[in-house]
Amino acid sequence: MLTDSLMDNALALRDRIVALRRNIHSEPELGLETPLTLAKVKADLADLPLEWRDGASCTGAVAVLKGMREGRSVLLRGDMDALPMSEQTGLPFASQLDGRMHACGHDAHTAMLAGAARLLAERQGELAGEVRFMFQPGEEGFHGARHMLDDGLLDPLPEAAFALHVWPNAPHGVLIGRAGPMLASADQLEITVSGKGGHASMPHDGVDPVPVAAEIVLALQTMVTRRFNAAEATIVTIAKLKAGSAHNVIPDEAHLLGTMRTLSAERRADLHAAVAQVAEHVALAHGCTASVRIIEGFPVTVNDPRAARLGEKVARDLGGEGAWEERSHPTMGAEDFSYVLQQVPGAMFFLGVAAEGSDWQDCCGLHSSRMIVDETVLPKGAALMAGFALRFLERGWD
């Protein structure tokens, strides 16, 4: 079934896929509540034989397509939420809502998933098993996938799960993947250094938390490079340091805000403990105290080797030898599809959406206010998603 007809059928849907993507792009929604986006998806797919399951804790929904015969089950996921930032693309269908933009390509993910649903519905009579289409809100830090799992929307769990993420800084139409860690875990770090404020001209009468906070920043970088294996990527970035209210006043407190990234659950736990130890002991050495708070974000996104191989085969079947790129290393970004992959074998892939012939290395990347998706790639994304499902239903992990 992975023949030229799948790609031909996807190309025939190009205008429909692009229209849905633009409709979603122009009215972006944030967080766990994306009712307008979901309504647009349901309206676009209203003529298909899908059974819908709606979530209780968010606007996540799963559409189920059942084949004519019993068989395996596979899940395909697309996220729907946008980012709280203003768009500067100048596109005719740019965001109509100030301070909101689809700068991470979730509008494209949703439109491609809807296209895949239509491609597979056209083949319902040939399907053995079922395909579930996971339309998910709240990926941008709101743990939408976890909410959908907790709501039972994925029960019983499927036997395989796949997701695509557009990548502006990658060659046009190329599918990119790897076995093992694909994206990092991401946790938020907050440190409060407490001292004793006073007049800036008499620092000896107080306990200044500012230089102590600065020393903690440097000590954390030393800790990462000296305590952890350099071959295993580990990141601690302090992105914000806030203290004081005037040039001549020593504050009582200094506040640090940052992020931590790792590529394994074990390294993640070790890093949490090491960060707290460094901050607390550096502060203690200078007569201050440090309070460390870690807000856990997404776990590591780990691709099952069988799923990675399946993705490679589908990419080559649809696009030839140049349609696949083996990624040599993970990206240190994070994804909440990781929650699904903790429970279901599967994979997340990147899809290059730079304009054909462009300098893709110099394109505006994800989360840029000028990020552009080459819409001519969207039918291929829909065909790839449908191809993942078709191959798994037909052959399993073979």
Side-chain angles (χ1 to χ4, degrees):
M1 295 173 70
L2 287 178
T3 63
D4 291 341
S5 66
L6 184 61
M7 195 64 227
D8 290 341
N9 294 157
L11 289 170
L13 295 176
R14 179 188 180 279
D15 290 347
R16 186 170 196 141
I17 295 170
V18 169
L20 178 59
R21 184 255 167 165
R22 292 185 177 188
N23 192 8
I24 294 170
H25 188 93
S26 65
E27 296 180 290
E29 296 179 289
L30 304 177
L32 294 169
E33 298 300 318
T34 58
L36 180 59
T37 303
L38 182 59
K40 291 176 180 180
V41 170
K42 287 187 173 182
D44 185 71
L45 301 178
D47 60 314
L48 301 185
L50 301 172
E51 299 176 9
W52 286 91
R53 306 172 184 172
D54 293 303
S57 63
C58 64
T59 56
V62 174
V64 181
L65 176 67
K66 294 187 176 179
M68 294 296 102
R69 293 170 288 130
E70 293 295 318
R72 303 180 180 92
S73 60
V74 60
L75 179 140
L76 305 175
R77 179 270 214 164
D79 38 8
M80 299 187 291
D81 58 319
L83 283 159
M85 55 190 292
S86 297
E87 182 165 352
Q88 298 178 10
T89 61
L91 293 168
F93 54 90
S95 173
Q96 300 172 12
L97 304 174
D98 188 42
R100 298 183 181 185
M101 178 191 173
H102 271 291
C104 200
H106 296 187
D107 52 337
H109 301 167
T110 300
M112 290 189 296
L113 183 58
R118 189 164 294 278
L119 288 171
L120 291 167
E122 293 171 354
R123 292 161 169 77
Q124 185 183 23
E126 308 166 40
L127 296 181
E130 69 176 34
V131 187
R132 305 181 203 172
F133 306 95
M134 179 183 179
F135 292 96
Q136 181 210 308
E139 193 282 326
E140 294 293 351
F142 292 87
H143 307 270
R146 189 182 68 195
H147 280 275
M148 292 183 70
L149 283 162
D150 291 344
D151 284 349
L153 286 176
L154 275 60
D155 293 337
L157 292 174
E159 296 168 71
F162 298 92
L164 272 185
H165 201 302
V166 296
W167 209 256
N169 303 112
H172 177 93
V174 173
L175 187 71
I176 302 165
R178 71 189 308 271
M182 186 70 176
L183 296 107
S185 64
D187 300 313
Q188 183 175 316
L189 171 63
E190 298 177 0
I191 302 174
T192 298
V193 182
S194 300
K196 179 183 176 184
H199 199 290
S201 67
M202 294 173 281
H204 54 281
D205 289 336
V207 181
D208 191 347
V210 175
V212 178
E215 187 170 329
I216 288 172
V217 174
L218 296 177
L220 289 174
Q221 306 312 307
T222 301
M223 177 268 292
V224 167
T225 61
R226 291 298 178 269
R227 188 177 300 188
F228 292 103
N229 188 334
E232 300 178 31
T234 305
I235 291 174
V236 177
T237 295
I238 301 300
K240 182 178 180 180
L241 196 162
K242 180 180 179 181
S245 59
H247 78 283
N248 59 350
V249 176
I250 292 174
D252 289 317
E253 295 182 339
H255 303 274
L256 306 176
L257 181 66
T259 186
M260 301 186 293
R261 310 287 172 122
T262 66
L263 293 174
S264 72
E266 296 77 17
R267 171 59 65 85
R268 188 184 191 190
D270 291 343
L271 183 62
H272 287 189
V275 165
Q277 182 186 54
V278 167
E280 291 167 1
H281 285 84
V282 169
L284 186 62
H286 295 285
C288 291
T289 60
S291 171
V292 178
R293 181 182 180 219
I294 295 172
I295 303 171
E296 288 198 359
F298 304 151
V300 183
T301 302
V302 182
N303 287 348
D304 188 287
R306 299 167 298 173
R309 287 195 300 271
L310 185 149
E312 177 182 359
K313 291 172 183 176
V314 171
R316 295 190 191 282
D317 284 347
L318 290 176
E321 288 300 309
W324 168 261
E325 179 182 312
E326 185 85 21
R327 190 173 179 87
S328 61
H329 58 277
T331 176
M332 298 307 286
E335 241 290 344
D336 82 341
F337 189 58
S338 53
Y339 290 116
V340 177
L341 295 183
Q342 281 185 325
Q343 301 190 40
V344 181
M348 165 165 273
F349 301 101
F350 300 152
L351 178 64
V353 291
E356 194 162 13
S358 67
D359 182 3
W360 52 266
Q361 293 177 323
D362 196 41
C363 296
C364 291
L366 298 174
H367 291 215
S368 166
S369 61
R370 295 183 294 278
M371 195 273 285
I372 298 288
V373 169
D374 182 355
E375 294 176 325
T376 65
V377 183
L378 300 187
K380 184 170 188 179
L384 285 165
M385 293 284 276
F388 301 154
L390 287 171
R391 187 176 184 102
F392 183 77
L393 293 182
E394 287 179 350
R395 309 184 189 185
W397 297 119
D398 182 11

